[in-house]
Amino acid sequence: MNYIEHVGKYFMMLFQVFKKPQRRRFFYESLFKEIEELGLKSLGIIMFISFFIGGVIALQTALNVESPFIPKSLIGFAAKRSIILEFAPTFCSIILAGKVGSYITSSIGTMRVTEQIDALEVMGINSLNHLVLPKVIATVFFYPFLISLAMVLGIFGGWVAGVLSGLFSGLDYIEGLQMDFKPFLITYAMIKTLVFAFLIATVPSYHGYYVKGGSIAVGKASTKSVVWTTILIVIFNYFLTQMLLT
Amino acid sequence: MIEVNNLHKGFGDVKILKGISTKFYPGKTSLIIGQSGSGKTVFLKSLIGLHTPEEGFISFDGRINTNFTTEEKRQWRQEIGMVFQGSALFDSQTVEENVMFPLKMFTKKTNSEMLDRVNFVLKRVNLENANKKIPAELSGGMQKRVAIARAIVMNPKYLFCDEPNSGLDPQTAIVIDNLIQEITEEYNITTVINTHDMNSVMEIGEKIIFLKNGLKAWEGSSEDIFKTDNEAVVDFVYSSNLFKKVREAYLNETK
């Protein structure tokens, strides 16, 4: 199947996904389950990575700023910009594409190969709507919180790294954080997060839903879905940056 | 009653079903047999509406399923129970949740009413005290019984089973066969079973359809299958020495 066919099939899938849920009670149950699976269970890894990467960003910036003419507060400024603009929305989304994407593909793919999706269809249930919509809503609503947390922890990690290493003072860092603050950059990061969250939920769902074969096929589909979600995140990141910041 | 008329189905250039016509009656257990690749699964999936016929039609008590409106189709889906080859239980849900699923989805019963119904059908399939177990904790036979309970929980008019005995030991297979037949008679359900299992053919086959190369090659009862001279059926059903001897014994007895 060529790429254009895949794109067409993906959009046809979305058409089925975005229909009114058959039972509201069921939908809310699934939604809360997905928020737990896709969001809350990713909190730990995002918090851990954000803190340490924030620290590394601040340390590397400090080590590369050797000139006495450059104020130390620039370290905080650069760390803030890097974390808000790229690290939190893009890097964390790529991590989530790996963690959550493989989970989505393998869970839906296993349902496909064990005929659970056929069972839903025979009962007259729109299986795409039933399985994918709660995932999309869960990621789109929850990931902005997750990414905001990543921003805060990343910036905090930078401050801790500076204070512990002695490369810059906490006050300089905080001064840098307050320097030239543009609220639109947060909006830009959130727009990116929403787009990436949508991709993280739908692209792996597509790969899982249309898997053919057995357990090996599910494994291959999981790998493929992570690769494609990452590629799409990178491509969309480029175009969104071009559209929103230039 | 289910009436199949001149059913054709293919995928691309490959024609799988090439014009099958037959009828399935309420309260009777009908079996579809045939070699792998004969079109049994496509036929069954066409009956349950997972495949759309290219030609011909399938009518359910006079209603042609391809002509249904969305609401009629939704209604018809609730009249269907299906037992899949691998049971197809939702592995993240308990036995109780699996069986309750169609009730929660399609009825407005209260929780206690649904629970009563779930307990009733679980008792009917001899599976009490398993409500809180998850499918992975059950044996193959128990999983099949849960699948049957889920299939009958909505009081279906039509029950379809895809190889309900696959992967089961002969003793459990007979239990499952008998359970399906009992339920069929008790609730006057039109039951269609897709099977490879010759024990099922002998035990519960009130009507047997033999498919070969996408065509109906033979149709009859389990009694007829002993007497038939149809070469394709004889080659398929009596390929094992055991069944050959059973047939010889039957024919000698009825001489």
Side-chain angles (χ1 to χ4, degrees), chain A residues 61 71-82 84 155 159 168-182 185:
Chain A
T61 311
K72 292 280 184 197
S73 58
L74 200 69
I75 297 163
F77 175 76
K80 175 191 74 179
R81 282 284 170 100
S82 311
I84 291 176
I155 289 169
W159 179 81
F168 52 88
S169 74
L171 282 175
D172 285 338
Y173 187 79
I174 290 167
E175 192 191 328
L177 292 181
Q178 291 168 336
M179 196 189 288
D180 192 25
F181 181 75
K182 287 180 181 162
L185 297 185

Side-chain angles (χ1 to χ4, degrees), chain A:
Chain A
M1 199 190 285
N2 64 36
Y3 295 127
I4 294 169
E5 270 183 79
H6 277 295
V7 172
K9 213 168 157 188
Y10 171 78
F11 281 105
M12 279 165 73
M13 177 194 88
L14 293 183
F15 183 70
Q16 289 299 318
V17 169
F18 290 101
K19 288 201 167 165
K20 193 180 162 201
Q22 278 161 295
R23 263 293 152 102
R24 212 175 277 180
R25 181 170 67 171
F26 240 111
F27 173 73
Y28 288 125
E29 271 179 27
S30 303
L31 180 62
F32 288 119
K33 214 183 254 180
E34 297 300 354
I35 287 175
E36 189 191 342
E37 282 297 332
L38 310 180
L40 292 174
K41 286 188 178 173
S42 304
L43 266 175
I45 182 94
I46 290 298
M47 285 165 71
F48 180 80
I49 289 178
S50 305
F51 181 80
F52 282 98
I53 296 284
V56 170
I57 289 171
L59 287 180
Q60 286 193 352
T61 311
L63 290 169
N64 284 289
V65 177
E66 286 169 354
S67 168
F69 297 106
I70 299 174
K72 292 280 184 197
S73 58
L74 200 69
I75 297 163
F77 175 76
K80 175 191 74 179
R81 282 284 170 100
S82 311
I83 289 166
I84 291 176
L85 291 176
E86 275 315 304
F87 166 72
T90 312
F91 193 76
C92 286
S93 292
I94 289 172
I95 293 165
L96 289 168
K99 184 190 174 287
V100 172
S102 57
Y103 165 77
I104 291 176
T105 306
S106 56
S107 61
I108 296 181
T110 305
M111 287 187 79
R112 166 63 74 198
V113 300
T114 56
E115 296 178 311
Q116 291 175 51
I117 290 177
D118 286 343
L120 289 170
E121 292 287 332
V122 169
M123 287 178 207
I125 294 162
N126 175 348
S127 56
L128 277 168
N129 174 271
H130 180 76
L131 296 172
V132 182
L133 187 63
K135 289 179 173 58
V136 176
I137 306 287
T139 52
V140 166
F141 276 90
F142 196 79
Y143 283 5
F145 295 106
L146 210 57
I147 299 305
S148 303
L149 187 69
M151 287 175 185
V152 172
L153 281 172
I155 289 169
F156 177 64
W159 179 81
V160 172
V163 171
L164 291 181
S165 66
L167 286 170
F168 52 88
S169 74
L171 282 175
D172 285 338
Y173 187 79
I174 290 167
E175 192 191 328
L177 292 181
Q178 291 168 336
M179 196 189 288
D180 192 25
F181 181 75
K182 287 180 181 162
F184 179 71
L185 297 185
I186 302 282
T187 311
Y188 158 77
M190 285 303 135
I191 291 171
K192 287 209 303 187
T193 301
L194 291 175
V195 173
F196 298 160
F198 185 80
L199 292 173
I200 289 168
T202 54
V203 175
S205 295
Y206 171 80
H207 281 94
Y209 192 83
Y210 293 106
V211 75
K212 277 182 186 153
S215 51
I216 291 176
V218 174
K220 282 182 182 170
S222 293
T223 311
K224 229 181 187 179
S225 83
V226 173
V227 170
W228 274 106
T229 311
T230 308
I231 289 172
L232 288 170
I233 286 174
V234 171
I235 292 171
F236 272 85
N237 186 36
Y238 173 79
F239 285 109
L240 286 170
T241 305
Q242 179 100 29
M243 279 160 56
L244 297 170
L245 292 188
T246 58

Side-chain angles (χ1 to χ4, degrees), chain B residues 31-47:
Chain B
L31 302 184
I32 305 163
I33 59 169
Q35 287 173 324
S36 300
S38 59
K40 295 191 304 293
T41 303
V42 175
F43 183 57
L44 196 74
K45 287 196 170 179
S46 301
L47 288 177

